[in-house]
Amino acid sequence: MQQKVLRRTELAEKLKQDIYLKELQVGDRIGSIRRLAMRYHTTPLTVNRTLNALVEEQILYRDENGCCRIMNAPPVKPRLGYAGEPILPSGNLDCLMQDAVRKLFNELDKLNSSPQIIGYHELCNPEIAMQRLKNINGLIVHDSFFDDNTCEVLNKLNIPIVRIGQALPKYSAFSSSEVVQFFDPALKEFAQYCKLESYKKIFIVHTSHWNSAKLAREIRHFLHNCKLDNIIETVTLDKAPWNNAELQAFCFFQQTDKSMWDDSLIISLSGYFSRGICRALSGKGELPDILSIDNLDSYEKCSFFGEPYLTAIDRNMGRIFREAARLIYDQVKSGDERKVIIKIPAKLAIRKSIRHINPNWSEK
């Protein structure tokens, strides 16, 4: 008797899964008892009892002819898209993004919802984009794909969208859920650890790209609240791909006078900039103190130092991408149209590149 009940339970779950996969709608027939018995290799009696159980659960109902039909629409099957840099054999991603994108795809694989990859140039062309996106009911978009060229298409989409990146995007007219970096806890911990007022200058090194410039403003605002406006300066480098960023920073800082960096703190908004700065200034005497945004040393060994050296703020990108995968899946499946913002706190990694240490600081 117990085996028969177990068999009906298993059959009920298979029927529910088929209803879900086929996306049957309210009123659709699910097939005759004889055909269902043949499909699931069981007896018509077992099928009939299983159908009766699903009628009691109000998943099905019987019409005037006794045929079973769908009573309530099943959950939507997520058909997701990912608009961001994919992992390709050519190695076009830096180590942090490789790790984060891999975690995104692994999370969606667990949910049996592998995403369709949408290219940047496809998003720039409304006709191509709408063709590629017509069968997608949820989209994850990375900040690197946000600009004036793509927002025209993104604003037209009537599907749940989750944006990965920084809070308060430049394209504020665009409305979406967000899983974003939250730097305040790490910056506050750094301000407790480091004696900021002891520096002669604090330099913020960033690129002209909108999200880098936005982060620079965020850090400057934090330093403003620390009453350090009179010692803050910014260095703006041209936007460069990650595999050229270290060389770009090396060339710029090698041409500068070493004395201008003495008794200074450099806050570099790229881990590759940080490495280029160290290479350029190491031959000119003692390095300035450096805080690196991007904790490359935890993902990729640096041949220059031999051991992790740079005090860094880890953006926690792997967790951000995993949370984005869960959020878009849940929103599509549940039909939740609310705009959700999830803030993932960055983490401070303390290493040797900071020497101006607050004597009152104690690690928790």
Side-chain angles (χ1 to χ4, degrees), residues 60-92:
L60 305 176
Y61 72 94
R62 291 188 185 273
D63 63 17
E64 63 276 9
N65 297 317
C67 298
C68 282
R69 297 180 181 272
I70 305 299
M71 185 170 184
N72 294 303
V76 175
K77 179 184 177 184
R79 299 185 302 275
L80 306 178
Y82 166 64
E85 297 293 343
I87 298 175
L88 297 174
S90 58
N92 66 322

PDB file of all heavy atoms in Angstrom, residues 60-92:
ATOM      1  N   LEU A  60      -5.909  20.978 -11.038  1.00  0.00           N
ATOM      2  CA  LEU A  60      -6.744  20.580 -12.170  1.00  0.00           C
ATOM      3  C   LEU A  60      -8.223  20.674 -11.788  1.00  0.00           C
ATOM      4  O   LEU A  60      -8.568  20.787 -10.607  1.00  0.00           O
ATOM      5  CB  LEU A  60      -6.431  19.133 -12.582  1.00  0.00           C
ATOM      6  CG  LEU A  60      -4.981  18.775 -12.925  1.00  0.00           C
ATOM      7  CD1 LEU A  60      -4.887  17.287 -13.216  1.00  0.00           C
ATOM      8  CD2 LEU A  60      -4.467  19.595 -14.093  1.00  0.00           C
ATOM      9  N   TYR A  61      -9.086  20.629 -12.812  1.00  0.00           N
ATOM     10  CA  TYR A  61     -10.520  20.451 -12.584  1.00  0.00           C
ATOM     11  C   TYR A  61     -11.063  19.561 -13.696  1.00  0.00           C
ATOM     12  O   TYR A  61     -10.452  19.423 -14.756  1.00  0.00           O
ATOM     13  CB  TYR A  61     -11.250  21.799 -12.555  1.00  0.00           C
ATOM     14  CG  TYR A  61     -11.371  22.482 -13.900  1.00  0.00           C
ATOM     15  CD1 TYR A  61     -12.514  22.309 -14.696  1.00  0.00           C
ATOM     16  CD2 TYR A  61     -10.359  23.312 -14.383  1.00  0.00           C
ATOM     17  CE1 TYR A  61     -12.628  22.930 -15.927  1.00  0.00           C
ATOM     18  CE2 TYR A  61     -10.469  23.936 -15.607  1.00  0.00           C
ATOM     19  CZ  TYR A  61     -11.603  23.754 -16.383  1.00  0.00           C
ATOM     20  OH  TYR A  61     -11.718  24.361 -17.609  1.00  0.00           O
ATOM     21  N   ARG A  62     -12.207  18.937 -13.436  1.00  0.00           N
ATOM     22  CA  ARG A  62     -12.840  18.089 -14.455  1.00  0.00           C
ATOM     23  C   ARG A  62     -13.983  18.861 -15.102  1.00  0.00           C
ATOM     24  O   ARG A  62     -14.809  19.464 -14.413  1.00  0.00           O
ATOM     25  CB  ARG A  62     -13.360  16.799 -13.835  1.00  0.00           C
ATOM     26  CG  ARG A  62     -12.244  15.857 -13.370  1.00  0.00           C
ATOM     27  CD  ARG A  62     -12.814  14.515 -12.939  1.00  0.00           C
ATOM     28  NE  ARG A  62     -11.787  13.634 -12.387  1.00  0.00           N
ATOM     29  CZ  ARG A  62     -11.025  12.827 -13.122  1.00  0.00           C
ATOM     30  NH1 ARG A  62     -11.173  12.796 -14.426  1.00  0.00           N
ATOM     31  NH2 ARG A  62     -10.130  12.052 -12.533  1.00  0.00           N
ATOM     32  N   ASP A  63     -14.015  18.830 -16.451  1.00  0.00           N
ATOM     33  CA  ASP A  63     -15.105  19.501 -17.161  1.00  0.00           C
ATOM     34  C   ASP A  63     -16.346  18.610 -17.188  1.00  0.00           C
ATOM     35  O   ASP A  63     -16.375  17.541 -16.564  1.00  0.00           O
ATOM     36  CB  ASP A  63     -14.660  19.903 -18.567  1.00  0.00           C
ATOM     37  CG  ASP A  63     -14.300  18.706 -19.441  1.00  0.00           C
ATOM     38  OD1 ASP A  63     -14.696  17.568 -19.086  1.00  0.00           O
ATOM     39  OD2 ASP A  63     -13.620  18.904 -20.470  1.00  0.00           O
ATOM     40  N   GLU A  64     -17.388  19.062 -17.911  1.00  0.00           N
ATOM     41  CA  GLU A  64     -18.652  18.330 -17.927  1.00  0.00           C
ATOM     42  C   GLU A  64     -18.521  16.936 -18.529  1.00  0.00           C
ATOM     43  O   GLU A  64     -19.356  16.051 -18.292  1.00  0.00           O
ATOM     44  CB  GLU A  64     -19.716  19.130 -18.696  1.00  0.00           C
ATOM     45  CG  GLU A  64     -19.409  19.370 -20.156  1.00  0.00           C
ATOM     46  CD  GLU A  64     -18.517  20.589 -20.375  1.00  0.00           C
ATOM     47  OE1 GLU A  64     -18.003  21.146 -19.381  1.00  0.00           O
ATOM     48  OE2 GLU A  64     -18.349  20.987 -21.543  1.00  0.00           O
ATOM     49  N   ASN A  65     -17.434  16.716 -19.302  1.00  0.00           N
ATOM     50  CA  ASN A  65     -17.197  15.398 -19.897  1.00  0.00           C
ATOM     51  C   ASN A  65     -16.266  14.532 -19.052  1.00  0.00           C
ATOM     52  O   ASN A  65     -15.897  13.419 -19.464  1.00  0.00           O
ATOM     53  CB  ASN A  65     -16.624  15.547 -21.305  1.00  0.00           C
ATOM     54  CG  ASN A  65     -17.599  16.251 -22.239  1.00  0.00           C
ATOM     55  OD1 ASN A  65     -18.805  15.957 -22.219  1.00  0.00           O
ATOM     56  ND2 ASN A  65     -17.092  17.176 -23.047  1.00  0.00           N
ATOM     57  N   GLY A  66     -15.836  15.068 -17.903  1.00  0.00           N
ATOM     58  CA  GLY A  66     -14.940  14.314 -17.029  1.00  0.00           C
ATOM     59  C   GLY A  66     -13.473  14.452 -17.392  1.00  0.00           C
ATOM     60  O   GLY A  66     -12.618  13.795 -16.782  1.00  0.00           O
ATOM     61  N   CYS A  67     -13.140  15.289 -18.406  1.00  0.00           N
ATOM     62  CA  CYS A  67     -11.726  15.496 -18.802  1.00  0.00           C
ATOM     63  C   CYS A  67     -11.043  16.442 -17.820  1.00  0.00           C
ATOM     64  O   CYS A  67     -11.650  17.417 -17.364  1.00  0.00           O
ATOM     65  CB  CYS A  67     -11.653  16.068 -20.207  1.00  0.00           C
ATOM     66  SG  CYS A  67     -12.351  14.995 -21.462  1.00  0.00           S
ATOM     67  N   CYS A  68      -9.795  16.158 -17.541  1.00  0.00           N
ATOM     68  CA  CYS A  68      -9.020  17.020 -16.632  1.00  0.00           C
ATOM     69  C   CYS A  68      -8.406  18.181 -17.402  1.00  0.00           C
ATOM     70  O   CYS A  68      -7.773  17.994 -18.451  1.00  0.00           O
ATOM     71  CB  CYS A  68      -7.930  16.208 -15.933  1.00  0.00           C
ATOM     72  SG  CYS A  68      -8.545  15.216 -14.572  1.00  0.00           S
ATOM     73  N   ARG A  69      -8.571  19.387 -16.843  1.00  0.00           N
ATOM     74  CA  ARG A  69      -8.030  20.610 -17.446  1.00  0.00           C
ATOM     75  C   ARG A  69      -7.295  21.423 -16.370  1.00  0.00           C
ATOM     76  O   ARG A  69      -7.496  21.228 -15.164  1.00  0.00           O
ATOM     77  CB  ARG A  69      -9.145  21.450 -18.065  1.00  0.00           C
ATOM     78  CG  ARG A  69      -9.862  20.757 -19.214  1.00  0.00           C
ATOM     79  CD  ARG A  69     -10.956  21.637 -19.797  1.00  0.00           C
ATOM     80  NE  ARG A  69     -11.669  20.965 -20.877  1.00  0.00           N
ATOM     81  CZ  ARG A  69     -11.303  21.003 -22.151  1.00  0.00           C
ATOM     82  NH1 ARG A  69     -10.223  21.700 -22.506  1.00  0.00           N
ATOM     83  NH2 ARG A  69     -11.998  20.368 -23.080  1.00  0.00           N
ATOM     84  N   ILE A  70      -6.467  22.352 -16.839  1.00  0.00           N
ATOM     85  CA  ILE A  70      -5.687  23.195 -15.931  1.00  0.00           C
ATOM     86  C   ILE A  70      -6.622  24.179 -15.243  1.00  0.00           C
ATOM     87  O   ILE A  70      -7.359  24.914 -15.900  1.00  0.00           O
ATOM     88  CB  ILE A  70      -4.586  23.955 -16.682  1.00  0.00           C
ATOM     89  CG1 ILE A  70      -3.692  22.981 -17.463  1.00  0.00           C
ATOM     90  CG2 ILE A  70      -3.745  24.793 -15.719  1.00  0.00           C
ATOM     91  CD1 ILE A  70      -2.964  21.983 -16.625  1.00  0.00           C
ATOM     92  N   MET A  71      -6.577  24.205 -13.908  1.00  0.00           N
ATOM     93  CA  MET A  71      -7.443  25.110 -13.152  1.00  0.00           C
ATOM     94  C   MET A  71      -6.773  26.466 -12.917  1.00  0.00           C
ATOM     95  O   MET A  71      -7.410  27.513 -13.048  1.00  0.00           O
ATOM     96  CB  MET A  71      -7.816  24.484 -11.806  1.00  0.00           C
ATOM     97  CG  MET A  71      -8.806  25.299 -11.008  1.00  0.00           C
ATOM     98  SD  MET A  71      -9.411  24.381  -9.576  1.00  0.00           S
ATOM     99  CE  MET A  71     -10.622  25.531  -8.934  1.00  0.00           C
ATOM    100  N   ASN A  72      -5.508  26.434 -12.557  1.00  0.00           N
ATOM    101  CA  ASN A  72      -4.765  27.677 -12.301  1.00  0.00           C
ATOM    102  C   ASN A  72      -3.494  27.679 -13.136  1.00  0.00           C
ATOM    103  O   ASN A  72      -2.855  26.644 -13.313  1.00  0.00           O
ATOM    104  CB  ASN A  72      -4.394  27.804 -10.817  1.00  0.00           C
ATOM    105  CG  ASN A  72      -5.615  27.972  -9.941  1.00  0.00           C
ATOM    106  OD1 ASN A  72      -6.397  28.892 -10.142  1.00  0.00           O
ATOM    107  ND2 ASN A  72      -5.803  27.071  -8.983  1.00  0.00           N
ATOM    108  N   ALA A  73      -3.167  28.841 -13.635  1.00  0.00           N
ATOM    109  CA  ALA A  73      -1.959  28.949 -14.456  1.00  0.00           C
ATOM    110  C   ALA A  73      -0.741  28.532 -13.639  1.00  0.00           C
ATOM    111  O   ALA A  73      -0.606  28.937 -12.485  1.00  0.00           O
ATOM    112  CB  ALA A  73      -1.786  30.373 -14.966  1.00  0.00           C
ATOM    113  N   PRO A  74       0.146  27.723 -14.199  1.00  0.00           N
ATOM    114  CA  PRO A  74       1.345  27.294 -13.471  1.00  0.00           C
ATOM    115  C   PRO A  74       2.322  28.459 -13.347  1.00  0.00           C
ATOM    116  O   PRO A  74       2.190  29.479 -14.029  1.00  0.00           O
ATOM    117  CB  PRO A  74       1.920  26.191 -14.370  1.00  0.00           C
ATOM    118  CG  PRO A  74       1.470  26.571 -15.746  1.00  0.00           C
ATOM    119  CD  PRO A  74       0.102  27.173 -15.564  1.00  0.00           C
ATOM    120  N   PRO A  75       3.322  28.332 -12.482  1.00  0.00           N
ATOM    121  CA  PRO A  75       4.345  29.378 -12.392  1.00  0.00           C
ATOM    122  C   PRO A  75       5.029  29.593 -13.738  1.00  0.00           C
ATOM    123  O   PRO A  75       5.181  28.660 -14.531  1.00  0.00           O
ATOM    124  CB  PRO A  75       5.348  28.823 -11.362  1.00  0.00           C
ATOM    125  CG  PRO A  75       4.611  27.754 -10.636  1.00  0.00           C
ATOM    126  CD  PRO A  75       3.603  27.198 -11.588  1.00  0.00           C
ATOM    127  N   VAL A  76       5.410  30.812 -13.999  1.00  0.00           N
ATOM    128  CA  VAL A  76       6.096  31.126 -15.256  1.00  0.00           C
ATOM    129  C   VAL A  76       7.455  30.442 -15.274  1.00  0.00           C
ATOM    130  O   VAL A  76       8.181  30.431 -14.279  1.00  0.00           O
ATOM    131  CB  VAL A  76       6.274  32.651 -15.395  1.00  0.00           C
ATOM    132  CG1 VAL A  76       7.086  32.986 -16.646  1.00  0.00           C
ATOM    133  CG2 VAL A  76       4.915  33.336 -15.436  1.00  0.00           C
ATOM    134  N   LYS A  77       7.802  29.864 -16.387  1.00  0.00           N
ATOM    135  CA  LYS A  77       9.133  29.258 -16.537  1.00  0.00           C
ATOM    136  C   LYS A  77      10.135  30.362 -16.874  1.00  0.00           C
ATOM    137  O   LYS A  77      10.014  31.012 -17.910  1.00  0.00           O
ATOM    138  CB  LYS A  77       9.122  28.208 -17.645  1.00  0.00           C
ATOM    139  CG  LYS A  77      10.487  27.569 -17.872  1.00  0.00           C
ATOM    140  CD  LYS A  77      10.447  26.602 -19.041  1.00  0.00           C
ATOM    141  CE  LYS A  77      11.830  26.025 -19.312  1.00  0.00           C
ATOM    142  NZ  LYS A  77      11.834  25.148 -20.493  1.00  0.00           N
ATOM    143  N   PRO A  78      11.120  30.609 -16.012  1.00  0.00           N
ATOM    144  CA  PRO A  78      12.099  31.655 -16.320  1.00  0.00           C
ATOM    145  C   PRO A  78      12.923  31.323 -17.565  1.00  0.00           C
ATOM    146  O   PRO A  78      13.524  30.257 -17.659  1.00  0.00           O
ATOM    147  CB  PRO A  78      12.989  31.685 -15.069  1.00  0.00           C
ATOM    148  CG  PRO A  78      12.138  31.111 -13.984  1.00  0.00           C
ATOM    149  CD  PRO A  78      11.318  30.059 -14.662  1.00  0.00           C
ATOM    150  N   ARG A  79      12.906  32.240 -18.523  1.00  0.00           N
ATOM    151  CA  ARG A  79      13.771  32.160 -19.716  1.00  0.00           C
ATOM    152  C   ARG A  79      14.621  33.424 -19.680  1.00  0.00           C
ATOM    153  O   ARG A  79      14.176  34.495 -20.093  1.00  0.00           O
ATOM    154  CB  ARG A  79      12.927  32.075 -20.987  1.00  0.00           C
ATOM    155  CG  ARG A  79      12.014  30.858 -21.052  1.00  0.00           C
ATOM    156  CD  ARG A  79      11.288  30.773 -22.400  1.00  0.00           C
ATOM    157  NE  ARG A  79      10.500  31.978 -22.645  1.00  0.00           N
ATOM    158  CZ  ARG A  79       9.268  32.180 -22.190  1.00  0.00           C
ATOM    159  NH1 ARG A  79       8.661  31.247 -21.471  1.00  0.00           N
ATOM    160  NH2 ARG A  79       8.626  33.303 -22.452  1.00  0.00           N
ATOM    161  N   LEU A  80      15.821  33.267 -19.182  1.00  0.00           N
ATOM    162  CA  LEU A  80      16.613  34.429 -18.784  1.00  0.00           C
ATOM    163  C   LEU A  80      17.675  34.782 -19.817  1.00  0.00           C
ATOM    164  O   LEU A  80      18.142  33.943 -20.583  1.00  0.00           O
ATOM    165  CB  LEU A  80      17.273  34.158 -17.436  1.00  0.00           C
ATOM    166  CG  LEU A  80      16.323  33.734 -16.307  1.00  0.00           C
ATOM    167  CD1 LEU A  80      17.093  33.453 -15.034  1.00  0.00           C
ATOM    168  CD2 LEU A  80      15.257  34.793 -16.065  1.00  0.00           C
ATOM    169  N   GLY A  81      18.057  36.051 -19.791  1.00  0.00           N
ATOM    170  CA  GLY A  81      19.154  36.544 -20.607  1.00  0.00           C
ATOM    171  C   GLY A  81      20.198  37.202 -19.726  1.00  0.00           C
ATOM    172  O   GLY A  81      19.887  37.699 -18.642  1.00  0.00           O
ATOM    173  N   TYR A  82      21.444  37.180 -20.187  1.00  0.00           N
ATOM    174  CA  TYR A  82      22.541  37.841 -19.472  1.00  0.00           C
ATOM    175  C   TYR A  82      23.239  38.787 -20.442  1.00  0.00           C
ATOM    176  O   TYR A  82      23.802  38.352 -21.445  1.00  0.00           O
ATOM    177  CB  TYR A  82      23.529  36.817 -18.920  1.00  0.00           C
ATOM    178  CG  TYR A  82      24.847  37.420 -18.472  1.00  0.00           C
ATOM    179  CD1 TYR A  82      24.897  38.318 -17.413  1.00  0.00           C
ATOM    180  CD2 TYR A  82      26.041  37.109 -19.121  1.00  0.00           C
ATOM    181  CE1 TYR A  82      26.090  38.885 -17.003  1.00  0.00           C
ATOM    182  CE2 TYR A  82      27.243  37.661 -18.720  1.00  0.00           C
ATOM    183  CZ  TYR A  82      27.265  38.549 -17.659  1.00  0.00           C
ATOM    184  OH  TYR A  82      28.450  39.109 -17.265  1.00  0.00           O
ATOM    185  N   ALA A  83      23.167  40.077 -20.157  1.00  0.00           N
ATOM    186  CA  ALA A  83      23.842  41.093 -20.962  1.00  0.00           C
ATOM    187  C   ALA A  83      25.053  41.589 -20.177  1.00  0.00           C
ATOM    188  O   ALA A  83      24.943  42.424 -19.277  1.00  0.00           O
ATOM    189  CB  ALA A  83      22.894  42.249 -21.289  1.00  0.00           C
ATOM    190  N   GLY A  84      26.178  41.022 -20.501  1.00  0.00           N
ATOM    191  CA  GLY A  84      27.431  41.346 -19.818  1.00  0.00           C
ATOM    192  C   GLY A  84      28.540  40.539 -20.459  1.00  0.00           C
ATOM    193  O   GLY A  84      28.290  39.704 -21.323  1.00  0.00           O
ATOM    194  N   GLU A  85      29.741  40.777 -20.028  1.00  0.00           N
ATOM    195  CA  GLU A  85      30.871  40.076 -20.627  1.00  0.00           C
ATOM    196  C   GLU A  85      30.819  38.589 -20.278  1.00  0.00           C
ATOM    197  O   GLU A  85      30.773  38.230 -19.103  1.00  0.00           O
ATOM    198  CB  GLU A  85      32.193  40.669 -20.142  1.00  0.00           C
ATOM    199  CG  GLU A  85      32.411  42.117 -20.545  1.00  0.00           C
ATOM    200  CD  GLU A  85      32.591  42.291 -22.033  1.00  0.00           C
ATOM    201  OE1 GLU A  85      32.860  41.290 -22.730  1.00  0.00           O
ATOM    202  OE2 GLU A  85      32.466  43.426 -22.518  1.00  0.00           O
ATOM    203  N   PRO A  86      30.804  37.703 -21.276  1.00  0.00           N
ATOM    204  CA  PRO A  86      30.793  36.262 -20.996  1.00  0.00           C
ATOM    205  C   PRO A  86      32.204  35.724 -20.816  1.00  0.00           C
ATOM    206  O   PRO A  86      33.187  36.405 -21.129  1.00  0.00           O
ATOM    207  CB  PRO A  86      30.154  35.679 -22.260  1.00  0.00           C
ATOM    208  CG  PRO A  86      30.620  36.606 -23.347  1.00  0.00           C
ATOM    209  CD  PRO A  86      30.704  37.984 -22.712  1.00  0.00           C
ATOM    210  N   ILE A  87      32.310  34.508 -20.316  1.00  0.00           N
ATOM    211  CA  ILE A  87      33.606  33.828 -20.237  1.00  0.00           C
ATOM    212  C   ILE A  87      33.859  33.144 -21.571  1.00  0.00           C
ATOM    213  O   ILE A  87      33.096  32.272 -21.980  1.00  0.00           O
ATOM    214  CB  ILE A  87      33.623  32.800 -19.095  1.00  0.00           C
ATOM    215  CG1 ILE A  87      33.406  33.503 -17.750  1.00  0.00           C
ATOM    216  CG2 ILE A  87      34.946  32.040 -19.069  1.00  0.00           C
ATOM    217  CD1 ILE A  87      33.299  32.545 -16.581  1.00  0.00           C
ATOM    218  N   LEU A  88      34.920  33.540 -22.247  1.00  0.00           N
ATOM    219  CA  LEU A  88      35.255  32.964 -23.538  1.00  0.00           C
ATOM    220  C   LEU A  88      36.666  32.379 -23.500  1.00  0.00           C
ATOM    221  O   LEU A  88      37.493  32.795 -22.676  1.00  0.00           O
ATOM    222  CB  LEU A  88      35.182  34.042 -24.634  1.00  0.00           C
ATOM    223  CG  LEU A  88      33.793  34.662 -24.866  1.00  0.00           C
ATOM    224  CD1 LEU A  88      33.903  35.802 -25.864  1.00  0.00           C
ATOM    225  CD2 LEU A  88      32.822  33.611 -25.359  1.00  0.00           C
ATOM    226  N   PRO A  89      36.964  31.424 -24.381  1.00  0.00           N
ATOM    227  CA  PRO A  89      38.306  30.818 -24.404  1.00  0.00           C
ATOM    228  C   PRO A  89      39.428  31.835 -24.631  1.00  0.00           C
ATOM    229  O   PRO A  89      40.564  31.613 -24.254  1.00  0.00           O
ATOM    230  CB  PRO A  89      38.218  29.820 -25.569  1.00  0.00           C
ATOM    231  CG  PRO A  89      36.773  29.523 -25.715  1.00  0.00           C
ATOM    232  CD  PRO A  89      36.050  30.787 -25.346  1.00  0.00           C
ATOM    233  N   SER A  90      39.089  32.969 -25.257  1.00  0.00           N
ATOM    234  CA  SER A  90      40.120  33.966 -25.556  1.00  0.00           C
ATOM    235  C   SER A  90      40.624  34.667 -24.304  1.00  0.00           C
ATOM    236  O   SER A  90      41.592  35.422 -24.351  1.00  0.00           O
ATOM    237  CB  SER A  90      39.565  35.016 -26.530  1.00  0.00           C
ATOM    238  OG  SER A  90      38.418  35.643 -25.985  1.00  0.00           O
ATOM    239  N   GLY A  91      39.958  34.436 -23.163  1.00  0.00           N
ATOM    240  CA  GLY A  91      40.405  35.042 -21.912  1.00  0.00           C
ATOM    241  C   GLY A  91      40.204  36.539 -21.884  1.00  0.00           C
ATOM    242  O   GLY A  91      41.089  37.291 -21.490  1.00  0.00           O
ATOM    243  N   ASN A  92      39.026  37.010 -22.301  1.00  0.00           N
ATOM    244  CA  ASN A  92      38.791  38.440 -22.409  1.00  0.00           C
ATOM    245  C   ASN A  92      38.376  39.085 -21.091  1.00  0.00           C
ATOM    246  O   ASN A  92      38.147  40.285 -21.043  1.00  0.00           O
ATOM    247  CB  ASN A  92      37.691  38.711 -23.448  1.00  0.00           C
ATOM    248  CG  ASN A  92      36.339  38.172 -23.003  1.00  0.00           C
ATOM    249  OD1 ASN A  92      36.263  37.105 -22.402  1.00  0.00           O
ATOM    250  ND2 ASN A  92      35.290  38.908 -23.297  1.00  0.00           N
TER     251      ASN A  92
END
